[in-house]
Amino acid sequence: MTPQDQKKRKTAEAALDYIKGARVIGVGTGSTVNHFIDCLVDYKIDIDGAVSSSEGTTQRLKDAGIPVLDLNDVNEVKVYIDGADEVDPSKRLIKGGGGALTREKIITDACDQFVCIVDESKMVNSLGAFPLPIEVIPMSRSYVARQVMSKFGGQPEWRENFITDNGNQIIDIHNLDISDPVAMEKEINDIPGVITVGLFAIKPADVVLIAYDDETKVM
Ligand code: 5RP
């Protein structure tokens, strides 16, 4: 395991403390979450099932023998475990590097507690160095890109040859100055054609577990 993988495994292990007693959990998407799925197996965690944030995670959960539940069929998701691309000191996030932002935001909103698992490389003072993903209806792609540029600046880039699990496209906005993430999230949400913006600021993480070389910190 590389040193970064070791940190991902450490933060994933730390998340096990937060799912104690939960029968249904939400599971995010990405390489850090893959370690968390491995932990569920290694520690023989007893749950009724998991609500999944992507087709990729669904496959991994099934391969691990963990029942995958439809969000429509569960009344409560006690805790949601997911990674992030950037985390600021107020636990606001950029997500969607893996393209699963829409289902991730739905589960973030539906869960009682969102526990974000990251290694130290994801911590920033201010969001925006990581290109901000926006999932869009395909016909609106150029329109949304122009609207975002005129309102906020930045350089939009179409994530070519990528279709989301929901059949949509993604544009990544480079070099944004995100001084007010809540206002930006609201404004981008309001542009017709936008499905989801990868800012998780209106509802940030409840807890962030940050793995360093020698310890895991709780924020
Ligand atoms: C996927 C995401 C992931 O949480 C994010 O990209 C982090 O992934 P990783 O753990 O591989 O760094 O938002 O849409």
Side-chain angles (χ1 to χ4, degrees), residues 77-111:
V77 179
K78 273 271 174 229
V79 59
Y80 176 49
I81 310 293
D82 199 358
D85 299 301
E86 275 188 353
V87 181
D88 83 359
S90 302
K91 294 180 274 198
R92 300 174 298 197
L93 318 171
I94 286 183
K95 290 183 50 54
L101 60 165
T102 295
R103 298 185 191 188
E104 292 175 339
K105 199 173 269 193
I106 293 168
I107 307 176
T108 295
D109 213 56
C111 72

Side-chain angles (χ1 to χ4, degrees), residues 182-199:
V182 171
M184 187 182 280
E185 184 177 355
K186 285 182 183 158
E187 270 199 71
I188 295 179
N189 277 339
D190 280 348
I191 301 171
V194 168
I195 301 291
T196 303
V197 55
L199 272 172

